[in-house]
Amino acid sequence: MVSYEVTVSTGNLAGATTINNVFIKLVGTEGESDRKWLMGFKGASSFMRGVVSSFSVSCPVSIGKLILIELDKKQLPLFPEDSWFPAKVEVKSPEGDTYNFPIYRWITDSEVHRFREGTALRVFEDSHHLGRYSRQQELTQREKDYRWDVYEEGIPHCIKTENIFSLPCEVRFSFTKTTEFLFTASTGLTELQLKGLSNCKKKWTNIDDINRVFCCNRTDISDYVQEHWKDDAFFGYQYLNGVNPMLIRRCSALPDYFPVTDDMVFLCGQCSLADEMKKGNIFLCDYKQLDGLKANTINGKKQYLMAPLLLLHKTPSDEMVPIAIQLKQTPAGDNPIFFPTDSEYDWLTAKIFVRSADFQEHQLNVHLLRTHLLAEVFAVALLRNVPMVHPLYKLLIPHTRYTLQINHLARLLLISKTGVFTEFAASGGEGMRTLLKRSLSSMTYISLCIPDDIAERGLEDVPNFHYRDDGVKLWDIIHRFVQGVLSFYYKNDAEVQQDSELQKWILDIFEHGFLSQAGTGIPQSFTTVAELVKFATMVIFTCSGQHSAVNAGQFDYGGWMPNTPISLQLPPPTTKGTTSEATMLQTFPDVNTTVQGMSTMWLLSKQSSDFVPLGQYPEDHFSEEIPCKMIKKFQGDLEVLSAIIKARNKSLDVPYTYMDPVVVENSVAI
């Protein structure tokens, strides 16, 4: 007789414990063991949450190299069938070899579940028929569990699900995440509801009333925003380091539809617009994607949504300041160009319309589409096409955590017909659908890769651009990590080309994420290791650093409503000299619209206590020496970047923390 030492680790999750009887069968290249009841000295506590238990499985002779294990559980008489979350199984053979079986799945039934050995396995060329059969069986089941659905024509596809409970157990929130999310959501409006504000459809009559609501939830940065929201330098700063750093680009020639001249913006012959463009000091934000969108109706009142053009100037003191604003795309007599030299409220009102337009562009394109919806596509394609022991699965699965459920909730609570965004944002409803379609059709692969995007927008040398500085460093760290891991498995380009599971993954993304639009530049297949490495880097960066950059600061910059109005309910001035503080207040959204926007941004900015920071992997999917070393190196590089960011922030009036690895979550989880 020979003996195999089996170690079973149960996950440290709420509800992970089973009191059912657990059975295992070992399958090797030369045979298989009997189905063995795992009964050890720990008895019923062997499979408690977080417990590691060891067992012995005997066979008459060696069964060769282990290929897979079979696990099942049977309920005890008089006891209900429960769920079990095994984390991993390790088997030591009589020959002294150690085999690792990563599981990290809920077992909720009494069926037999097969898991393949995951150490140093050439997953794209299983030599044993049992391995090939197990892989195909796994993917066949995954295709049933993870099906594509069309939520809205013209936008990325999503997972097909009837409700949260029809999502596979593995992708749902933990108990901790669920309770905290519900608590935050339910308490976000509580104080405001007690004050009777969430249903108040009145207009604001003075700025102090807005301040009293704002005081319910505050951050250091939101306090700074409240104090400086009228300042031109801070207004411009937000286009570099606020929640939407994706629109600004260097301007070398003004669009024909933005007829700004020297005598309008540079008085007293200080300098010419042409000269400043040549020096690279002029920047443009063009909200042309908002042009012609149907504005929402809120509280029975028509809302107003502009498609502005904003011209910014980098001053000799390295400040980015606005110098001209045109609120509609087409020049006309009733579409004046506003300047800092105009009256206080003419200029401030123009900036308010720009900030409201930026809210719509940010929320729907930069945040929802380019992080949430793409992350869901990456996740569903991975879960449908790539088996658990594939190196790409191991690399990317931590970056899919909670994404499918948070997006399901977004479709249910935010962008549905009765969702907060649909009911209270200027672009809610028909405008939202139009903008999402326009944004996807104009999206490019380049714009998803921060080094390429920064170069394409001409922003390489803009001073005080912390999003760029931290983002490019983070991209480089992720790229080195991904290159190290994938190069360990793929020794040449031919191995990438021959990996059918990898090719199915990227084709699924091209078809269901980018709707087969070749103009996006998204690859339809991989021909080289370098192509694979860059795309996987983009996936991880999008799901972690980029999402943090455009999500975590929502309340910081939007909690003080005048800085980021969710909607506006008076049209912009058509002639100068007609604005005042009273007209500004009348233009702002109603009290209840303001409250809904504030509470939603508070919820979307709130981290869960089971947050997993970038580079931390509670689940041991990799067991090979080289990838494990690469993970340690990755974590060390992230620690260095965090220290650099913290040191830089000490000298800033407004610290930029959103790309600090210690606050960047591994996945789109909120």
Side-chain angles (χ1 to χ4, degrees):
M1 297 288 288
V2 296
S3 181
Y4 292 81
E5 183 182 339
V6 176
T7 302
V8 180
S9 301
T10 297
N12 191 20
L13 302 175
T17 297
T18 183
I19 59 171
N20 292 175
N21 289 329
V22 174
F23 298 85
I24 193 169
K25 178 189 283 189
L26 310 180
V27 180
T29 55
E30 304 298 328
E32 58 187 50
S33 73
D34 292 333
R35 177 172 172 264
K36 165 79 173 180
W37 176 30
L38 295 180
M39 182 61 182
F41 69 91
K42 294 180 182 178
S45 64
S46 295
F47 306 107
M48 299 285 285
R49 170 181 175 175
V51 168
V52 178
S53 300
S54 294
F55 310 90
S56 180
V57 174
S58 297
C59 297
V61 295
S62 172
I63 57 176
K65 293 183 178 180
L66 292 192
I67 301 169
L68 56 88
I69 60 173
E70 294 182 356
L71 286 178
D72 68 293
K73 62 182 184 64
K74 292 290 184 289
Q75 68 187 92
L76 297 168
L78 305 180
F79 284 88
E81 186 167 73
D82 55 24
S83 297
W84 177 41
F85 188 85
K88 57 185 176 180
V89 173
E90 182 182 274
V91 181
K92 291 184 179 178
S93 73
E95 292 83 13
D97 297 318
T98 299
Y99 299 90
N100 293 282
F101 300 86
I103 300 176
Y104 303 106
R105 286 185 56 190
W106 288 97
I107 295 179
T108 61
D109 53 30
S110 58
E111 299 298 313
V112 172
H113 298 265
R114 294 178 176 85
F115 301 97
R116 290 191 300 151
E117 206 285 322
T119 303
L121 186 65
R122 301 301 292 246
V123 299
F124 40 83
E125 51 177 35
D126 275 329
S127 58
H128 198 281
H129 72 280
L130 285 174
R132 292 194 299 272
Y133 170 75
S134 174
R135 178 179 66 193
Q136 188 55 51
Q137 187 182 45
E138 177 188 350
L139 293 180
T140 298
Q141 183 59 49
R142 294 266 204 86
E143 288 176 356
K144 295 177 182 177
D145 292 340
Y146 300 95
R147 293 173 292 160
W148 290 110
D149 196 12
V150 178
Y151 180 74
E152 180 77 37
E153 292 291 343
I155 69 173
H157 298 167
C158 60
I159 186 172
K160 186 175 182 62
T161 181
E162 300 302 320
N163 52 57
I164 287 173
F165 300 105
S166 66
L167 285 169
C169 296
E170 286 71 38
V171 299
R172 290 189 216 159
F173 287 178
S174 67
F175 176 79
T176 300
K177 174 76 171 180
T178 300
T179 53
E180 290 183 356
F181 184 87
L182 292 174
F183 177 79
T184 304
S186 63
T187 58
L189 275 172
T190 298
E191 186 173 349
L192 301 175
Q193 286 170 336
L194 291 174
K195 292 181 177 180
L197 298 178
S198 63
N199 295 313
C200 177
K201 299 180 181 180
K202 295 180 180 179
K203 294 186 177 183
W204 296 103
T205 55
N206 64 74
I207 207 82
D208 289 336
D209 288 342
I210 302 175
N211 184 41
R212 279 192 285 273
V213 175
F214 171 66
C215 286
C216 296
N217 294 308
R218 298 168 70 161
T219 67
D220 290 342
I221 292 179
S222 69
D223 282 346
Y224 186 94
V225 172
Q226 181 194 13
E227 184 178 349
H228 295 277
W229 72 283
K230 295 181 180 180
D231 299 349
D232 283 356
F234 180 68
F235 178 90
Y237 168 89
Q238 293 180 77
Y239 287 90
L240 298 176
N241 303 308
V243 292
N244 183 11
M246 305 303 294
L247 195 66
I248 186 172
R249 59 176 56 243
R250 183 166 266 127
C251 180
S252 57
L254 283 174
D256 293 338
Y257 48 90
F258 196 16
V260 180
T261 59
D262 286 347
D263 58 345
M264 294 178 179
V265 292
F266 296 113
L267 304 179
C268 305
Q270 294 172 345
C271 52
S272 75
L273 201 52
D275 287 344
E276 287 299 282
M277 285 185 186
K278 288 179 181 177
K279 294 176 184 177
N281 292 332
I282 301 298
F283 299 83
L284 178 68
C285 293
D286 188 347
Y287 293 88
K288 57 188 175 184
Q289 290 201 134
L290 302 178
D291 191 29
L293 287 191
K294 182 180 179 181
N296 208 351
T297 298
I298 302 173
N299 295 336
K301 292 174 281 190
K302 179 183 177 181
Q303 305 295 295
Y304 292 88
L305 175 59
M306 299 298 105
L309 293 116
L310 165 66
L311 207 61
L312 296 151
H313 179 220
K314 184 183 77 67
T315 68
S317 59
D318 286 342
E319 289 184 325
M320 189 71 71
V321 297
I323 57 174
I325 293 172
Q326 180 178 295
L327 293 178
K328 302 174 188 175
Q329 290 282 302
T330 305
D334 62 353
N335 183 26
I337 301 176
F338 294 93
F339 308 103
T341 50
D342 291 334
S343 71
E344 176 187 357
Y345 283 100
D346 276 0
W347 182 235
L348 184 57
T349 298
K351 290 193 292 182
I352 287 169
F353 272 95
V354 172
R355 292 298 304 157
S356 185
D358 194 71
F359 173 85
Q360 323 302 323
E361 167 72 15
H362 163 258
Q363 289 292 357
L364 292 177
N365 179 18
V366 172
H367 182 210
L368 176 62
L369 174 64
R370 295 169 63 93
T371 60
H372 278 264
L373 300 189
L374 290 188
E376 181 167 7
V377 169
F378 301 150
V380 174
L382 183 76
L383 291 163
R384 280 177 57 84
N385 296 292
V386 185
M388 291 176 63
V389 293
H390 193 289
L392 188 74
Y393 182 96
K394 293 182 179 186
L395 181 68
L396 297 185
I397 196 62
H399 305 287
T400 70
R401 183 175 183 252
Y402 296 161
T403 298
L404 301 186
Q405 181 163 340
I406 200 66
N407 280 9
H408 176 84
L409 290 171
R411 286 187 285 272
L412 182 68
L413 303 175
L414 295 181
I415 63 173
S416 65
K417 290 182 179 180
T418 57
V420 172
F421 197 94
T422 303
E423 291 195 338
F424 295 103
S427 59
E430 183 180 324
M432 172 180 67
R433 294 187 289 272
T434 303
L435 181 55
L436 285 170
K437 293 173 186 178
R438 287 180 183 177
S439 298
L440 180 62
S441 65
S442 62
M443 189 187 297
T444 63
Y445 185 27
I446 283 176
S447 70
L448 298 172
C449 304
I450 188 171
D452 300 338
D453 177 56
I454 293 297
E456 194 272 332
R457 290 193 280 148
L459 305 177
E460 300 99 318
D461 58 356
V462 175
N464 306 315
F465 194 4
H466 311 310
Y467 163 80
R468 175 206 58 209
D469 296 341
D470 298 352
V472 170
K473 290 173 184 173
L474 185 59
W475 173 280
D476 289 343
I477 290 170
I478 295 171
H479 187 269
R480 287 197 299 272
F481 168 60
V482 172
Q483 188 169 47
V485 170
L486 292 181
S487 295
F488 171 72
Y489 294 98
Y490 296 95
K491 302 303 183 184
N492 53 61
D493 295 341
E495 291 185 345
V496 169
Q497 296 164 16
Q498 294 162 12
D499 187 342
S500 61
E501 292 156 349
L502 189 63
Q503 301 297 345
K504 288 178 182 177
W505 176 67
I506 187 59
L507 185 59
D508 235 14
I509 290 171
F510 176 74
E511 293 178 348
H512 294 278
F514 298 88
L515 308 187
S516 300
Q517 297 176 147
T520 60
I522 295 293
Q524 302 177 47
S525 62
F526 294 123
T527 58
T528 68
V529 176
E531 289 173 352
L532 170 60
V533 167
K534 181 175 182 177
F535 195 86
T537 299
M538 182 275 291
V539 169
I540 294 175
F541 181 81
T542 296
C543 297
S544 57
Q546 181 66 14
H547 179 252
S548 179
V550 303
N551 176 76
Q554 288 188 86
F555 189 82
D556 286 344
Y557 288 93
W560 174 246
M561 180 274 289
N563 186 61
T564 313
I566 188 172
S567 189
L568 296 171
Q569 55 182 333
L570 284 185
T574 55
T575 58
K576 296 187 179 184
T578 60
T579 58
S580 64
E581 182 178 14
T583 58
M584 178 189 73
L585 289 167
Q586 291 168 8
T587 302
F588 282 149
D590 286 337
V591 173
N592 67 327
T593 303
T594 300
V595 165
Q596 292 287 346
M598 286 175 58
S599 60
T600 300
M601 283 185 270
W602 175 258
L603 172 65
L604 298 181
S605 303
K606 196 76 171 172
Q607 275 185 357
S608 169
S609 65
D610 70 351
F611 155 94
V612 178
L614 178 61
Q616 300 302 312
Y617 302 112
E619 298 180 349
D620 297 325
H621 287 283
F622 286 107
S623 53
E624 300 94 321
E625 182 181 359
I626 297 300
C628 288
K629 284 184 177 179
M630 296 305 303
I631 289 173
K632 292 293 184 184
K633 176 67 165 57
F634 181 41
Q635 293 169 340
D637 290 345
L638 292 173
E639 288 178 6
V640 171
L641 176 59
S642 180
I644 292 171
I645 291 172
K646 286 181 171 65
R648 187 266 322 278
N649 284 341
K650 289 180 180 179
S651 63
L652 299 180
D653 291 336
V654 184
Y656 187 79
T657 61
Y658 309 127
M659 290 279 200
D660 184 340
V662 299
V663 301
V664 172
E665 193 153 10
N666 252 339
S667 58
V668 177
I670 188 64

